[in-house]
Amino acid sequence: MQSLLDKIYKEVIPMLGRGKVADYIPALASVESQQFGIAICDNDGNISTVGDAHVPFSIQSISKVFNLVLAINHYGEDLWHRVSCEPSGLPFNSLVQLEYENGVPRNPFINAGALVISDMNQSRFASPHLAMRDFVRRLSENDEIIANRNVADSEFEYRARNAASAYLMKAFGNFENEVEEVLHSYFYNCALEMSCVDLAKAGSFLANRGYSKGAEEQILTPSQTSQVNALLATSGMYNEAGNFAFQVGLPGKSGVGGGIIAVVPGRFSICVFSPALNPMGNSLMGMAALTSLTKHINWSVY
Ligand code: GLN
């Protein structure tokens, strides 16, 4: 694994400097763009790393995966009455489909979908953001994981678009709690800071039929795990999901903080981090690194 990571790192590092960090909130715009790290966690729990793999960064939309898993644990199949499982083909924060489709978001990984999931978790947990924080701490075996208040507050200040989609869903009867309260939980989740090592460990149950070696817990059943991986493969990269399937061929989830987690079912989970994004909002180096990975291991879920 280590020599594979070293090879990928060497291959991709010349691209450092391309792309643009997310600037839709000031707290993210100030992140140092010249960072690049990768961590792999295999199904025996071995970790391999290269570059800035231990640097905590804003997990942003990668939180949607863990948020969804928490909701699946509580709601099971009922969850799919409130959110669909189709790719959207549109940017992560688009509002247009939501009106046509009566306030039922296309999937849990676009913002509207993640907001409905957050609404469900809000109804279930006394303190949804602490439930989420403790969940990722358990999965990563790292009790120091915390959310960055600055980022969460900054997102809340610039919440108009997310608030608009939540209110639209409320108008359609697909939102139970106070919008502003749910937004606070959602932004807190996005503002959690984790390293590539934390995220590779946290996502490892997805490669291991739902079992987390770190937490020593069955997180999802094997069939729920397959379903989450299918959703990640079809919708985890927003409107670049098709290209990701074509180039990389793995279930994956990106965040505007520059992280991407991907899963090689039955073998390992991987997290790549580099803050500069391509025009679709996915880490430019992260895409390149994962493309190189699947080329080297000569493997794809397809
Ligand atoms: N917190 C971000 C938002 O709601 C998450 C977006 C992302 O990572 N794609 O806009």
Side-chain angles (χ1 to χ4, degrees):
M1 280 298 174
Q2 191 59 50
S3 65
L4 171 67
L5 283 189
D6 293 340
K7 232 187 284 175
I8 297 171
Y9 190 85
K10 246 176 80 193
E11 217 172 280
V12 177
I13 199 78
M15 295 170 81
L16 199 63
R18 291 203 221 156
K20 219 169 135 279
V21 298
D23 57 3
Y24 72 102
I25 56 165
L28 285 180
S30 61
V31 168
E32 163 57 46
S33 66
Q34 305 275 317
Q35 304 182 80
F36 178 42
I38 313 176
I40 283 183
C41 177
D42 73 19
N43 278 359
D44 294 321
N46 303 309
I47 309 283
S48 313
T49 65
V50 70
D52 299 313
H54 294 275
V55 177
F57 60 90
S58 196
I59 70 168
Q60 292 296 319
S61 281
I62 299 174
S63 65
K64 292 170 181 168
V65 182
F66 305 109
N67 205 21
L68 170 66
V69 171
L70 276 183
I72 291 175
N73 283 329
H74 282 273
Y75 291 91
E77 289 293 306
D78 288 347
L79 184 144
W80 305 110
H81 297 137
R82 294 188 54 190
V83 58
S84 311
C85 45
E86 290 297 338
S88 74
L90 288 168
F92 61 84
N93 54 5
S94 171
L95 282 161
V96 290
Q97 266 167 355
L98 209 50
E99 164 101 62
Y100 285 124
E101 299 182 358
N102 303 318
V104 178
R106 276 281 171 117
N107 64 69
F109 299 140
I110 51 172
N111 283 12
L115 285 165
V116 164
I117 300 293
S118 296
D119 179 50
M120 296 175 90
N121 285 337
Q122 195 85 22
S123 302
R124 216 60 200 222
F125 295 102
S127 180
H129 70 283
L130 291 183
M132 173 74 170
R133 190 199 66 183
D134 291 346
F135 184 44
V136 293
R137 282 183 174 185
R138 244 176 27 247
L139 292 173
S140 310
E141 296 176 278
N142 178 1
D143 281 343
E144 279 165 20
I145 293 170
I146 48 166
N148 182 323
R149 258 256 98 83
N150 256 346
V151 173
D153 290 349
S154 192
E155 295 219 47
F156 191 78
E157 195 183 335
Y158 294 90
R159 66 190 177 282
R161 186 169 272 273
N162 282 316
S165 66
Y167 277 114
L168 187 53
M169 291 188 283
K170 206 169 189 50
F172 279 109
N174 194 18
F175 212 86
E176 286 172 354
N177 297 280
E178 282 304 321
V179 165
E180 308 284 297
E181 252 175 55
V182 176
L183 286 174
H184 272 300
S185 305
Y186 168 76
F187 291 136
Y188 177 96
N189 293 346
C190 291
L192 283 163
E193 294 192 334
M194 295 168 73
S195 68
C196 289
V197 172
D198 293 330
L199 280 166
K201 282 170 106 172
S204 63
F205 68 93
L206 294 168
N208 201 16
R209 295 170 58 80
Y211 183 75
S212 164
K213 231 181 147 77
E216 296 179 331
E217 229 179 282
Q218 190 72 37
I219 304 296
L220 293 176
T221 65
S223 82
Q224 287 171 328
T225 308
S226 303
Q227 289 181 336
V228 171
N229 282 336
L231 272 171
L232 288 171
T234 50
S235 309
M237 308 293 289
Y238 315 117
N239 44 335
E240 201 174 10
N243 185 40
F244 192 74
F246 188 74
Q247 303 285 352
V248 178
L250 296 175
K253 183 77 207 82
S254 59
V256 290
I260 305 179
I261 60 166
V263 182
V264 181
R267 293 179 67 182
F268 59 82
S269 52
I270 178 166
C271 178
V272 189
F273 160 59
S274 189
L277 308 178
N278 67 19
M280 305 292 198
N282 295 320
S283 170
L284 192 143
M285 301 273 286
M287 288 290 291
L290 291 169
T291 304
S292 154
L293 168 88
T294 43
K295 204 178 70 207
H296 286 302
I297 63 173
N298 198 14
W299 201 90
S300 132
V301 291
Y302 302 104

